[in-house]
Amino acid sequence: MIAVGCDHAGYELKNELIRHLKDRGFEVEDLGTYSTDSCDYPDYAKKVCEEVVSGRAEKGLLVCGTGIGMSIAANKVRGIRAAVLTDEFSAQATREHNDANVLCLGARVLDTERAVKLLDIFLDTPFSEGANHIRRISKLEDGR
Ligand code: RB5
């Protein structure tokens, strides 16, 4: 399952991305927000990240205006490795090297086509499982 959340700025792009995920056969949990009424992105980052750290969601997707607020909020949750992405190289690298588990996208930065492309790369690229990357990720978790 993919847990998805957004704020008011990300609402329309979130809906497009959910449509795409469902077309691809993914199970999706839409944790809101459910309109363009102004709201606070940390609330939705928290909901999505809870699904990911509990293991109920395989990955999380967060959309706000820039993706930055969502990523700041998401990365405060232990066990979350959130990446704000705008380019394909980073989308692949953050999966292979960082085993990123939450994707943050900016609806005011990306058009839908590019957002879909980044989402696909994020979901389709496995973690490299390299010993060096595993060691570095474990240092993120134990605060070293
Ligand atoms: C909302 O106006 C905007 O600040 C928010 O969507 C996001 O871009 C924050 O990082």
Side-chain angles (χ1 to χ4, degrees):
M1 182 270 278
I2 310 295
V4 183
C6 68
D7 70 357
H8 52 285
Y11 174 70
E12 278 156 23
L13 180 57
K14 179 196 71 174
N15 288 341
E16 301 276 356
L17 296 175
I18 287 175
R19 248 191 301 280
H20 178 72
L21 286 168
K22 288 183 173 168
D23 285 350
R24 283 199 51 184
F26 285 99
E27 191 191 328
V28 173
E29 184 159 6
D30 181 359
L31 296 160
T33 188
Y34 304 113
S35 77
T36 53
D37 293 347
S38 184
C39 65
D40 299 335
Y41 57 82
D43 299 339
Y44 298 92
K46 187 162 181 250
K47 287 175 197 274
V48 165
C49 291
E50 279 169 359
E51 292 300 299
V52 175
V53 292
S54 72
R56 288 188 292 274
E58 167 195 336
K59 297 256 171 14
L61 169 64
L62 290 166
V63 189
C64 66
T66 58
I68 296 170
M70 285 296 197
S71 73
I72 293 170
N75 277 315
K76 291 192 182 297
V77 179
R78 195 175 179 82
I80 293 297
R81 294 176 300 281
V84 192
L85 296 176
T86 56
D87 71 276
E88 286 92 336
F89 174 81
S90 300
Q92 184 176 335
T94 199
R95 285 290 311 125
E96 289 176 344
H97 292 206
N98 314 124
D99 196 17
N101 50 14
V102 173
L103 168 61
C104 302
L105 297 175
R108 294 173 178 161
V109 180
L110 304 166
D111 61 27
T112 303
E113 190 186 343
R114 187 161 195 83
V116 165
K117 175 99 186 153
L118 296 172
L119 175 59
D120 282 343
I121 294 169
F122 187 83
L123 293 173
D124 295 343
T125 307
F127 178 46
S128 72
E129 309 280 353
N132 51 348
H133 298 307
I134 291 170
R135 183 181 66 251
R136 291 164 192 158
I137 288 168
S138 73
K139 289 187 178 186
L140 297 173
E141 295 309 314
D142 63 18
R144 281 187 288 153

